[in-house]
Amino acid sequence: TVIESSHNLRGFEAGRAVDGNPKTYWLVPGGQRMEAMSRDKYLIFDLGCKMKISEIDILGRVHSLRGSRILLQIGPSAKGPWQQAHSFRALSSLQRTRSALPKDLPSTQFVRLFIRREGHATFRYKVHDVRFLCTSET
């Protein structure tokens, strides 16, 4: 479940990134005004209980010449403190990107995904789907 995001536009709310419908999406519009409001775009997820995450799968698109750097952070609560866990490049075209996380990553309930701006400031971001491959902490 998405519990917080940097942007929450009507009709393009963050929950659309996890609603199971690849035709809907979370939108961060481009433009200098929007960039001034948030250099980095983020989603915070509550996995429901402590889980061991082995992979992330993301579907989306940033309208730029290359994708964005995605930073995955974990924390003990929805407010952090956040620990850098993984980074990868994605969203260069509307196709799924799957990335394996470090095997020694501790179990967590809360995950923050930062979509880092790189290059020109006016890019539009669309995130259609985010999935975590997890196992319960037992």
Side-chain angles (χ1 to χ4, degrees):
T1 303
V2 177
I3 57 173
E4 188 178 322
S5 65
S6 59
H7 295 76
N8 203 29
L9 300 174
R10 187 180 323 199
F12 302 100
E13 296 86 1
R16 293 181 181 254
V18 294
D19 67 2
N21 182 349
K23 293 182 181 180
T24 63
Y25 51 88
W26 173 59
L27 174 69
V28 178
Q32 292 178 348
R33 181 170 173 252
M34 293 307 292
E35 287 295 331
M37 291 168 48
S38 174
R39 289 182 57 107
D40 294 318
K41 292 77 178 133
Y42 69 85
L43 295 166
I44 297 177
F45 298 86
D46 181 345
L47 302 178
C49 63
K50 276 194 156 188
M51 305 286 274
K52 178 76 173 161
I53 307 170
S54 58
E55 291 183 351
I56 180 172
D57 182 298
I58 188 166
L59 173 67
R61 172 96 166 91
V62 59
H63 294 267
S64 70
L65 297 175
R66 59 184 189 165
S68 289
R69 172 97 22 219
I70 310 292
L71 305 177
L72 186 141
Q73 300 173 326
I74 60 174
S77 78
K79 300 295 181 192
W82 299 105
Q83 171 190 344
Q84 183 69 26
H86 185 59
S87 70
F88 62 102
R89 187 168 292 286
L91 309 178
S92 61
S93 63
L94 189 55
Q95 64 183 19
R96 291 198 172 278
T97 300
R98 182 174 273 190
S99 184
L101 276 63
K103 294 192 183 315
D104 62 348
L105 187 68
S107 295
T108 189
Q109 180 173 339
F110 300 97
V111 178
R112 180 167 66 174
L113 287 186
F114 264 119
I115 303 172
R116 296 297 307 259
R117 177 190 76 154
E118 295 182 357
H120 195 272
T122 60
F123 298 137
R124 173 185 297 198
Y125 298 78
K126 295 179 181 177
V127 177
H128 293 257
D129 193 32
V130 178
R131 299 176 188 181
F132 298 98
L133 183 61
C134 304
T135 54
S136 299
E137 182 180 76
T138 53

